[in-house]
Amino acid sequence: MALPEMINHMEHLLCVHTNEEKLIKDVLPGVHLYPLVLDVENGLWVLRVQFEPGVTLPTHFHTGIVHLYTMSGCWHYVEYPDDKQVAGSYLFEPGGSIHTFHTPETNEGLTDTFMVVHGANINFDADGNFVNIMDAGWIEQVMLAAAKEQGIEPHYIKPKSSYDFSDR
């Protein structure tokens, strides 16, 4: 079998070295991140996120799957308080899951995570009322606003696509 013809020639590797990038702080209160991939058209967001102790995110419904790896620290879902996610934990979340992310107040330091999210989080308040939709576009907007305020020019992978007809 012959090597397939290259469809997309890459001039360089698409790699984000988070150890060389500036952490964008307080994109949400107590939530700091390195954007890695924000693909609005395909609903994909890949982030390295660090959470301060005591952060609780809104209860949310996932429209797609999530892969979440914990590199350091500890967190759990409010609905599963005894199932702590610690360094080395990998969590797969199927689309349709509903939960509330929380980092314990007793954590020493930041909880450092890597996540790949397909689709959106539909967020709700404590009474079950709709708050907002968090997807790749929303993440990009709030991240860019926080970065601008902090004088940071984020470096991340963003598809540059436009839709058109194929050649006939």
Side-chain angles (χ1 to χ4, degrees), residues 6-7 11 13 33-34 41 46 49-51 55 57 63 72 74 79 82 90-91 99-100 130 134-135 142 145 157 165:
M6 187 176 292
I7 296 171
E11 297 294 327
L13 291 177
L33 66 83
Y34 296 99
E41 289 83 8
V46 181
V49 184
Q50 298 180 347
F51 299 92
V55 167
L57 298 179
T63 64
S72 68
C74 175
E79 298 80 5
D82 297 329
Y90 164 76
L91 178 70
H99 41 245
T100 311
F130 172 79
M134 180 186 296
D135 62 5
V142 297
I157 300 163
F165 291 105

Side-chain angles (χ1 to χ4, degrees), residues 95-120:
S97 59
I98 300 173
H99 41 245
T100 311
F101 179 98
H102 176 72
T103 54
E105 293 80 1
T106 56
N107 276 2
E108 293 182 22
L110 298 172
T111 295
D112 197 359
T113 64
F114 170 79
M115 62 182 70
V116 178
V117 182
H118 297 265

Side-chain angles (χ1 to χ4, degrees), residues 10-167:
M10 294 175 52
E11 297 294 327
H12 53 273
L13 291 177
L14 298 173
C15 182
V16 178
H17 298 278
T18 58
N19 58 332
E20 297 172 6
E21 298 297 322
K22 291 186 179 177
L23 179 65
I24 303 168
K25 296 186 177 182
D26 291 311
V27 174
L28 296 173
V31 179
H32 320 301
L33 66 83
Y34 296 99
L36 302 173
V37 177
L38 293 170
D39 183 347
V40 175
E41 289 83 8
N42 291 299
L44 173 68
W45 28 306
V46 181
L47 309 168
R48 179 177 173 192
V49 184
Q50 298 180 347
F51 299 92
E52 291 183 12
V55 167
T56 302
L57 298 179
T59 300
H60 54 277
F61 168 87
H62 285 283
T63 64
I65 64 171
V66 176
H67 302 272
L68 198 144
Y69 182 77
T70 304
M71 297 184 288
S72 68
C74 175
W75 66 274
H76 67 272
Y77 288 126
V78 171
E79 298 80 5
Y80 305 94
D82 297 329
D83 196 356
K84 305 279 193 258
Q85 302 297 305
V86 297
S89 297
Y90 164 76
L91 178 70
F92 175 81
E93 300 174 9
S97 59
I98 300 173
H99 41 245
T100 311
F101 179 98
H102 176 72
T103 54
E105 293 80 1
T106 56
N107 276 2
E108 293 182 22
L110 298 172
T111 295
D112 197 359
T113 64
F114 170 79
M115 62 182 70
V116 178
V117 182
H118 297 265
N121 289 3
I122 312 300
N123 293 325
F124 299 91
D125 66 16
D127 296 323
N129 299 307
F130 172 79
V131 174
N132 67 354
I133 297 175
M134 180 186 296
D135 62 5
W138 188 89
I139 293 286
E140 187 172 40
Q141 288 179 8
V142 297
M143 178 274 300
L144 288 173
K148 183 177 181 180
E149 188 175 290
Q150 296 167 43
I152 297 171
E153 291 186 32
H155 176 72
Y156 58 99
I157 300 163
K158 179 175 177 62
K160 293 183 179 180
S161 66
S162 62
Y163 290 90
D164 201 350
F165 291 105
S166 62
D167 293 337

